[in-house]
Amino acid sequence: NAWGVCSPGHRAGIRWGRRRQEKAWPSMIVLSYYQTRPLLAARQQSQPSATISPDLGLTTTEVRLDPDEVIFPTGEKLTWGDVRRISSNEKQCFLLEGQAIRPIHVYSEATNWVRTLFATPSAPTTIVAGFPMHRIQDTTPREDTLKKIAAIAPVIGQVLDTATGLGYTAIEAARTAEHVTTIELDPAALELARFNPWSRDLFDNPRITQLLGDAAELIETFPERSFARIIHDPPILNLAGDLYSGAFYSQLYRVLTAKGQLFHYIGDLASHSGGRTAAGVVRRLQEAGFRRVARHPEAFGVVAFK
């Protein structure tokens, strides 16, 4: 579970099908070193209170700085020892529950991957099997998401998101789309998302439908020409090779509407590995029937047009 131990609820097999929408827990306090280091500075200046974000930068609140602890308006207390513990960890996010902090990470028996909520100056990302699931060098996960969405703007009609993760793509697409269907392979990804304040709309927005299962198999269940836009943001090739296959691309082509667009995230197109992967992706997309494939280096991907 998210308390830093193995999650016994995850079975070795993947459960397929529609996932019931569950609301994110409403009163969580989630912190990273970006929020706690200013508390140490305020204490050093003998300030009686300070302004802090209880949700990784989404909102702010005023907290009382007592000699032994930080007291939130809702009654939660954070000891100065825990403030220092969070401040010294530049990777993980922490949940404050009552007077205890716990690092937020999940182990999934379904995939044997450990998923960690990784701190950034704004929306966090996920580290999966040692790899970040969003661009974080010289950018943020939110900016990364916005560039992906902009590559196929306007995002309209029915939209398919092939890899939910923390839900940022689905959330952003749902701002303008008629409806978003998003697929996640690993139940642990959604468990982690419930602890992320930036993922709340994934559970609360009625225009988002979650499906749990393998996108390579679920894609075959959709009728032809179901989606006006598809956002395909798979893990790296060596973690999800079937999502880069010609057979999968043929299914994406089949379910895309006439004049629909597909964004395919690849990675840095200017890098050796990204350029080589992109060449194979473009070739297989064209073999699947896409009439034109345009490179979008600013979004680290390509856009294929039907």
Side-chain angles (χ1 to χ4, degrees):
N1 59 30
W3 312 134
V5 297
C6 297
S7 180
H10 294 325
R11 298 174 299 186
I14 299 292
R15 180 167 57 86
W16 311 102
R18 187 177 300 271
R19 185 175 185 85
R20 182 171 59 89
Q21 297 289 94
E22 299 180 51
K23 289 184 176 295
W25 298 333
S27 58
M28 295 183 298
I29 294 178
V30 182
L31 307 169
S32 76
Y33 76 98
Y34 289 104
Q35 287 75 52
T36 57
R37 286 185 180 175
L39 293 178
L40 293 174
R43 187 191 191 199
Q44 196 168 30
Q45 297 170 7
S46 301
Q47 296 179 12
S49 64
T51 299
I52 185 176
S53 173
D55 49 18
L56 301 179
L58 284 173
T59 65
T60 59
T61 188
E62 188 173 5
V63 295
R64 192 168 82 235
L65 308 184
D66 280 6
D68 297 326
E69 57 200 6
V70 177
I71 303 177
F72 287 78
T74 47
E76 290 87 352
K77 298 177 180 180
L78 183 65
T79 69
W80 287 108
D82 283 341
V83 171
R84 288 189 291 271
R85 180 185 171 194
I86 296 172
S87 299
S88 66
N89 189 321
E90 296 187 354
K91 296 182 178 180
Q92 290 187 294
C93 299
F94 291 80
L95 176 70
L96 172 62
E97 188 176 41
Q99 300 186 54
I101 62 168
R102 304 177 189 271
I104 302 175
H105 59 259
V106 179
Y107 171 74
S108 172
E109 294 178 2
T111 59
N112 293 319
W113 292 342
V114 174
R115 293 178 176 268
T116 301
L117 200 62
F118 185 90
T120 82
S122 60
T125 187
T126 305
I127 302 295
V128 180
F131 298 97
M133 293 294 104
H134 300 87
R135 293 164 55 197
I136 54 177
Q137 186 174 358
D138 301 323
T139 187
T140 67
R142 172 152 177 77
E143 292 169 351
D144 180 37
T145 299
L146 292 176
K147 287 181 179 179
K148 295 170 186 174
I149 294 294
I152 53 171
V155 178
I156 54 175
Q158 297 287 328
V159 174
L160 175 64
D161 170 32
T162 64
T164 307
L166 291 175
Y168 297 159
T169 300
I171 291 168
E172 193 60 37
R175 297 185 191 281
T176 57
E178 180 182 341
H179 196 87
V180 177
T181 299
T182 182
I183 301 172
E184 177 53 52
L185 172 70
D186 190 353
L190 301 179
E191 181 178 348
L192 190 73
R194 290 197 195 93
F195 292 94
N196 178 21
W198 290 79
S199 298
R200 286 173 185 160
D201 275 0
L202 177 64
F203 304 95
D204 296 344
N205 191 335
R207 293 202 305 276
I208 298 176
T209 295
Q210 297 177 26
L211 298 180
L212 187 61
D214 188 339
E217 297 191 14
L218 288 179
I219 191 74
E220 298 179 5
T221 68
F222 299 128
E224 293 184 8
R225 298 182 294 277
S226 296
F227 302 101
R229 298 287 186 271
I230 298 176
I231 304 161
H232 184 42
D233 185 6
I236 62 173
L237 181 60
N238 65 346
L239 290 181
D242 54 345
L243 299 185
Y244 292 79
S245 69
F248 184 68
Y249 294 164
S250 293
Q251 288 294 328
L252 293 179
Y253 183 86
R254 181 183 66 83
V255 301
L256 196 61
T257 61
K259 299 184 179 180
Q261 297 180 34
L262 159 71
F263 173 78
H264 189 321
Y265 180 85
I266 295 170
D268 187 357
L269 303 184
S271 71
H272 175 71
S273 61
R276 187 167 62 179
T277 300
V281 166
V282 170
R283 175 178 54 80
R284 289 189 296 276
L285 286 172
Q286 291 173 336
E287 290 173 351
F290 289 96
R291 60 182 176 83
R292 181 165 66 94
V293 181
R295 293 171 179 259
H296 280 260
E298 80 288 351
F300 278 35
V302 299
V303 174
F305 298 82
K306 184 171 181 177

